[in-house]
Amino acid sequence: MLTLLLMAGAARAQPQADSDEAGLAMQVAKAEDDIRNSAALVRDPALNDYVKSIVCRLTLCAALRVYVVEAPGLNVLALPNGALLVWTGTLLRMDNEAELAHLLAHELAHYQHKHSLDQYHRMLDTSGVVALLGVAASGVGIGFVSTPASMAALGASYSHSQSQEREADKTGLEMAAAAGYDPAAAPALWRAADADFLKRHPSGEERLAALQELVQQMPARTWNSSAALPVTAPYLERWIGEELRRDTDTVALFTHLAVSGRGLCRYGLGEAYRKRGLAGDAALAASWFRAALAAPDAPPLAWRGLGLLAMQNGDKPAARAAFAQYRVMAPDADDRAMIDYYLAQL
């Protein structure tokens, strides 16, 4: 009789095959399969091991799977089954490892407190499982590649509650500090966060003040508080290009990134100004392209930027000279055919 009662209790603890919970579990598992097989998944062992090492430093990670997804924008997303998605745009934006650790810890706190499960249930009630995960939304032939964008859009509408955010702030801060990361990196991270990220994680002055109060209660740490992420350099040009192709104003982003003094980040700010095209932006674009060329790691792309800017302004000699220099500096560039076409027309 006891065995039968235990079996009955276990059966009730499991979701029914046709229940919302079972459907959600199946769709989340399907989403993770799509992630694992997607062309959008970054498969570089060094990059993946680096991010996973931070997660494992923060918490017990045996049951967690970390996926670095090739996608612009700032986002980290924990699925209810323990899959953690990290956008490459997030890695681009981090000034140091401590900021990344605090962001990961915040999302891990949501997962540990089951906030993500609650959020997904609320989405399920209004959107349906398929709409929730966007598994039918790609239509571009490479599987999961569009799902991060659809999840981000849904997240903007279905953000965590204020009480859940406060709980994740406290738990995440304690988690990162216990792992040796400087607590002061947490408020710095939120102050510099993108506007679209803050729609999902509202960060007003009251929240920042509460976070700062928590920081003051902890001993200061310096480990990994200022070192740039060591694994991003090989990807910098690609990730900057992905950000610049977004249909959004990226001046604020690249103003922040250009503080590093890296040539590619200075180029990115010049290109952001050139693309925005407001009054005075052309002069600002030219100055940042020249600043990029003056950097120790001067990128050839800055010559292309000067050529495009001169062509827009009708200065054919300047455009011709800049494009010619770009072809010399980057003879195997992917856009060489387009640049050769411009040179033939000038």
Side-chain angles (χ1 to χ4, degrees):
M1 178 65 70
L2 179 59
T3 301
L4 289 172
L5 288 172
L6 289 171
M7 290 174 64
R12 284 194 299 272
Q14 299 298 319
Q16 296 297 315
D18 58 349
S19 68
D20 287 345
E21 289 83 358
L24 177 61
M26 290 175 60
Q27 290 296 335
V28 170
K30 172 62 168 63
E32 186 174 357
D33 284 341
D34 288 345
I35 296 164
R36 195 179 293 113
N37 298 312
S38 172
L41 186 66
V42 177
R43 303 181 188 278
D44 176 8
L47 187 60
N48 281 276
D49 289 348
Y50 174 71
V51 178
K52 182 66 179 289
S53 71
I54 298 174
V55 173
C56 293
R57 196 173 293 132
L58 293 168
T59 187
L60 296 174
C61 61
L64 298 173
R65 285 88 59 211
V66 179
Y67 301 97
V68 180
V69 180
E70 191 81 45
L74 174 61
N75 210 2
V76 176
L77 181 69
L79 299 185
N81 66 348
L84 185 68
L85 281 62
V86 182
W87 272 235
T88 52
T90 298
L91 303 180
L92 174 67
R93 285 162 171 75
M94 297 297 102
D95 288 336
N96 50 63
E97 187 176 300
E99 288 187 1
L100 178 59
H102 278 283
L103 183 58
L104 293 171
H106 180 88
E107 193 61 30
L108 288 168
H110 279 308
Y111 170 73
Q112 290 181 357
H113 289 301
K114 300 188 185 302
H115 296 164
S116 298
L117 186 60
D118 175 66
Q119 182 186 39
Y120 276 69
H121 275 296
R122 286 187 289 118
M123 290 184 188
L124 181 65
D125 290 341
T126 57
S127 300
V129 175
V130 174
L132 165 66
L133 292 174
V135 293
S138 76
V140 293
I142 53 175
F144 177 76
V145 68
S146 73
T147 307
S150 61
M151 282 187 172
L154 283 166
S157 300
Y158 299 93
S159 57
H160 294 296
S161 68
Q162 290 186 359
S163 63
Q164 289 175 336
E165 286 294 335
R166 285 194 295 269
E167 191 173 29
D169 280 347
K170 185 175 186 299
T171 302
L173 186 64
E174 292 171 348
M175 190 187 304
Y181 291 102
D182 186 359
L189 165 69
W190 291 104
R191 288 192 186 96
D194 293 1
D196 57 347
F197 182 78
L198 294 178
K199 290 178 183 177
R200 302 186 297 278
H201 304 77
S203 183
E205 290 302 318
E206 181 181 350
R207 179 180 183 179
L208 284 171
L211 192 60
Q212 190 63 48
E213 184 177 349
L214 290 172
V215 169
Q216 291 172 354
Q217 297 170 8
M218 297 180 175
R221 291 171 172 82
T222 58
W223 184 66
N224 271 325
S225 61
S226 59
L229 301 189
V231 293
T232 58
Y235 295 95
L236 197 58
E237 183 174 332
R238 183 198 304 179
W239 294 350
I240 285 175
E242 289 173 350
E243 297 291 342
L244 289 168
R245 284 190 289 273
R246 299 177 72 192
D247 187 21
T248 185
D249 184 352
T250 54
V251 167
L253 167 63
F254 284 104
T255 297
H256 176 77
L257 294 178
V259 173
S260 70
R262 291 178 293 189
L264 277 167
C265 294
R266 292 177 176 180
Y267 154 77
L269 182 52
E271 187 66 2
Y273 277 123
R274 187 189 71 81
K275 289 185 63 180
R276 191 173 70 173
L278 299 179
D281 280 353
L284 289 168
S287 68
W288 280 106
F289 287 143
R290 295 190 185 98
L293 292 172
D297 56 343
L301 285 168
W303 285 112
R304 187 187 71 178
L306 286 170
L308 292 171
L309 191 63
M311 192 165 64
Q312 287 175 337
N313 294 334
D315 189 345
K316 291 185 177 182
R320 187 183 305 112
F323 285 143
Q325 188 64 29
Y326 174 60
R327 288 293 282 116
V328 170
M329 298 298 295
D332 299 321
D334 292 341
D335 60 353
R336 58 186 180 275
M338 181 187 73
I339 300 301
D340 288 343
Y341 172 79
Y342 289 157
L343 284 168
Q345 302 301 310
L346 293 171

